[in-house]
Amino acid sequence: MIRFDSLQGWLKWQESLHPLVIDLGLERAAQVFHALNPDYVKPPTITVAGTNGKGSSVAYLESIYTAQGYRVGSYTSPHILKYNERIKIDGKPVSDDKICEAFARIESVRGNTSLSYFEFGTLAALDIFQRAGVDVQLLEVGLGGRLDAVNIVDPDVALITSISIDHIEWLGGTREAIGREKAGIFRAAIPAITGDPDPPESLMQSAVEQHALLYCIDKDFSYKKQATGWDWFFADRKMLQLPEPGLKGEHQYHNASAVILAVTKMAEILPVTEASIRQGLANVRLAGRFQLIDGEIPVLLDVGHNPQAVRTLADYVTTVFPGRRIHAVFSMMKDKDIAGVLEIMNFVVYDWFFAPLANPRAATESVMREIFSQSSVSNVSFGFADFTEAFSAAKNQSQQGDLLLVFGSFFLVSECLVEFEKK
C-alpha cells in the first residue's frame, strides 16, 4: 500500500493519480466511503452550495455553533495558505498528521478505484469529523452540487447562497442549468434554503420534484437594515438590532440571513441561543473576503473571480472608499469570464498591474494582453516576473489616500498574504 511521510507527499501524488482535475460523479467517492466507514453514523450536517458566498456562509455557521459551545467540523475549498485550512475543527485547521492518517486509511480501502484530489480531501474530512465526534459538520460543495463528492452525505439542511454564471464547462451556460445542478443537494422533507433574491425557476422546480421544504429570501424570510444594526424576520419570529455581520459587503446580509434560518431549522437537534447567533455574526473572520490590511497605502484583498462577485466588489469599493484612486493588482484563471470582470471594474480602477501566476490554470500574459486589448481598459502594465514585482510597481504608483486592490483569484490573494507574512 502506498504511504507518504508528509502531507505534501500525499498531495503531490493525488494530483497525478486521477486523469482529470475535475471529474464530477458520486459513484467512486461513495464506493470508497462505504468501504472506509461501513457503519457510518452521520453527524448533524449542513451542506452549502452556491456560486458565491459559500465560504462566508460556512464561516458564519462555524462561528455561531462555536459560540454555542458545540464541537464543529467544517470542510471548505480552496485553501488560501495551507491545505489544512480546508478541514477545521472548532475553527482550527487539523494537523498534517491527522490528514495523513486519514489519507492512509482511504488508500487502504481504495483498491482500484481512482479518486481525484478533491475526492480524497472530501473523504478525509468526513472520516476525520466522525472520528473526532463533532456535534455538527458543515460541508461546502466544491463545484455544482448534484455530482459533487460532498453530496454522498445527506444533509439535514441544504443551503444555497447565490447562483450566477461560472464553471460553464461542467455546470452549463445559463442560470437555469446551474440552478438545477446546485439544487442536487436538496433532499425530501428537509429544509432547503436559498439566499439568492432571484432564484432560477429550475431551483424552485427541483425543490418541488424532490419534495424539499424550500425557503427563499424576500419571500419566506427577510432582513431590514436599520440606522444601527439590522433586523431578521421569519414567519412569527424576529431578531431585532442584530450586530453588523463581521464580513463586509451588502451581500453578507443575504448570507447571514440564510444562515440564521439554517440554524433555526436545525434547532431541534442543535439548540442555539439568540446570544450565540449575535456573537457568531459579530466575531466571524475569513481571509480574502474584503480583507483590509491597514498601512500608509491600505491594501484590500478579495478572491472575487466571476462577474457577480466582482459587481459586489465594485459596489463595496465605491461605497467604502469613495473618491480614492484604485490601483489593481490582478490575475485570473483562464477559464473565467475575464472580459466581463474588466468591464465591471473598469470604472472603479485607475490603473491595472497584471501579476502572472505559476498555476497552469492561470491566464498567461499573452492571453491577458489579448483580452485587455479588446476591452476599454487602457491603463494597464505588463512585463512583471511575478506577484511581488507587480505589487511593488503598483505600490510605487500609489500616493497617500490611494488604495491598492488585489483581486481576481484565490491563488493571487494567497501570494499576497504570503508576502505580508514575510514582513
Side-chain angles (χ1 to χ4, degrees):
M1 184 186 75
I2 293 176
R3 295 187 73 97
F4 297 92
D5 58 5
S6 72
L7 178 56
Q8 287 307 310
W10 277 106
L11 296 176
K12 186 175 181 180
W13 172 72
Q14 289 169 18
E15 288 173 343
S16 62
L17 174 66
H18 197 68
L20 300 175
V21 174
I22 296 173
D23 191 5
L24 297 177
L26 304 182
E27 184 178 349
R28 295 183 315 277
Q31 179 181 331
V32 175
F33 186 60
H34 180 71
L36 182 66
N37 285 297
D39 302 315
Y40 181 63
V41 178
K42 178 180 69 70
T45 300
I46 300 177
T47 298
V48 182
T51 306
N52 300 304
K54 298 189 297 292
S56 298
S57 297
V58 170
Y60 285 121
L61 288 164
E62 180 183 68
S63 185
I64 290 168
Y65 282 123
T66 300
Q68 186 63 39
Y70 288 119
R71 189 161 172 76
V72 185
S74 61
Y75 175 57
T76 59
S77 64
H79 59 278
I80 291 185
L81 294 177
K82 293 183 65 178
Y83 183 90
N84 312 57
E85 296 166 21
R86 296 177 179 230
I87 307 174
K88 296 180 181 177
I89 294 179
D90 295 337
K92 298 177 181 177
V94 301
S95 67
D96 286 13
D97 287 345
K98 283 194 180 298
I99 299 175
C100 289
E101 289 165 5
F103 285 159
R105 288 191 292 269
I106 294 165
E107 180 60 17
S108 71
V109 300
R110 181 177 65 84
N112 294 323
T113 303
S114 181
L115 295 174
S116 70
Y117 179 92
F118 181 79
E119 288 166 337
F120 257 103
T122 303
L123 295 177
L126 295 174
D127 185 58
I128 288 169
F129 294 158
Q130 186 190 37
R131 289 171 180 270
V134 299
D135 297 310
V136 58
Q137 62 182 8
L138 313 171
L139 307 179
E140 179 190 329
V141 169
L143 180 63
R146 181 175 64 93
L147 298 176
D148 187 90
V150 161
N151 206 30
I152 64 176
V153 174
D154 293 331
D156 297 290
V157 168
L159 173 59
I160 293 181
T161 55
S162 66
I163 297 173
S164 61
I165 307 299
D166 203 1
H167 301 296
I168 60 176
E169 304 95 318
W170 297 281
L171 304 181
T174 66
R175 289 184 78 242
E176 293 297 328
I178 293 170
R180 185 166 293 279
E181 287 297 316
K182 295 187 185 301
I185 67 170
F186 292 169
R187 298 291 192 277
I190 71 141
I193 300 166
T194 178
D196 191 318
D198 182 28
E201 182 59 35
S202 61
L203 183 142
M204 317 285 280
Q205 185 59 37
S206 293
V208 172
E209 293 169 357
Q210 298 179 56
H211 306 288
L213 307 176
L214 183 63
Y215 300 91
C216 300
I217 197 167
D218 296 336
K219 177 183 176 184
D220 303 296
F221 66 101
S222 62
Y223 74 91
K224 184 177 181 181
K225 292 174 67 176
Q226 302 291 358
T228 58
W230 60 292
D231 304 333
W232 178 86
F233 306 94
F234 168 66
D236 59 350
R237 296 196 56 178
K238 58 185 177 181
M239 296 185 194
L240 305 179
Q241 289 296 296
L242 290 166
E244 182 180 331
L247 304 178
K248 304 306 177 185
E250 183 67 30
H251 61 300
Q252 293 299 350
Y253 289 93
H254 290 184
N255 294 333
S257 295
V259 160
I260 293 174
L261 183 57
V263 169
T264 301
K265 288 298 177 182
M266 290 283 281
E268 285 190 13
I269 52 177
L270 289 172
V272 172
T273 65
E274 185 173 322
S276 292
I277 291 175
R278 291 176 178 275
Q279 182 180 340
L281 291 175
N283 292 346
V284 67
R285 298 291 181 269
L286 189 61
R289 276 72 167 186
F290 293 1
Q291 180 181 354
L292 186 65
I293 300 175
D294 285 324
E296 183 179 350
I297 308 295
V299 180
L300 182 68
L301 310 177
D302 191 62
V303 296
H305 54 263
N306 56 54
Q308 184 191 47
V310 172
R311 284 190 194 95
T312 304
L313 173 61
D315 290 342
Y316 179 76
V317 169
T318 53
T319 301
V320 178
F321 304 98
R324 297 211 189 188
R325 287 201 316 173
I326 311 296
H327 309 276
V329 181
F330 174 73
S331 196
M332 285 181 71
M333 299 297 102
K334 59 189 174 187
D335 60 336
K336 303 300 179 183
D337 183 5
I338 300 171
V341 167
L342 294 183
E343 181 180 349
I344 293 164
M345 291 299 291
N346 188 26
F347 80 97
V348 178
V349 173
Y350 173 75
D351 53 5
W352 301 73
F353 298 82
F354 172 67
L357 299 173
N359 190 293
R361 289 179 50 217
T364 62
E365 181 169 317
S366 60
V367 167
M368 200 65 84
R369 281 181 180 273
E370 178 64 22
I371 295 172
F372 268 95
S373 71
Q374 295 177 13
S375 75
S376 57
V377 177
S378 58
N379 199 358
V380 55
S381 298
F382 291 100
F384 307 110
D386 52 23
F387 166 80
T388 303
E389 283 193 9
F391 184 81
S392 178
K395 190 172 183 180
N396 287 339
Q397 292 298 314
S398 302
Q399 302 172 5
Q400 192 167 8
D402 291 355
L403 178 72
L404 282 166
L405 173 63
V406 178
F407 84 103
S409 165
F410 274 87
F411 299 101
L412 184 68
V413 169
S414 173
E415 292 199 17
C416 183
L417 288 173
V418 167
E419 283 297 312
F420 274 95
E421 280 192 348
K422 292 177 183 176
K423 296 177 181 179

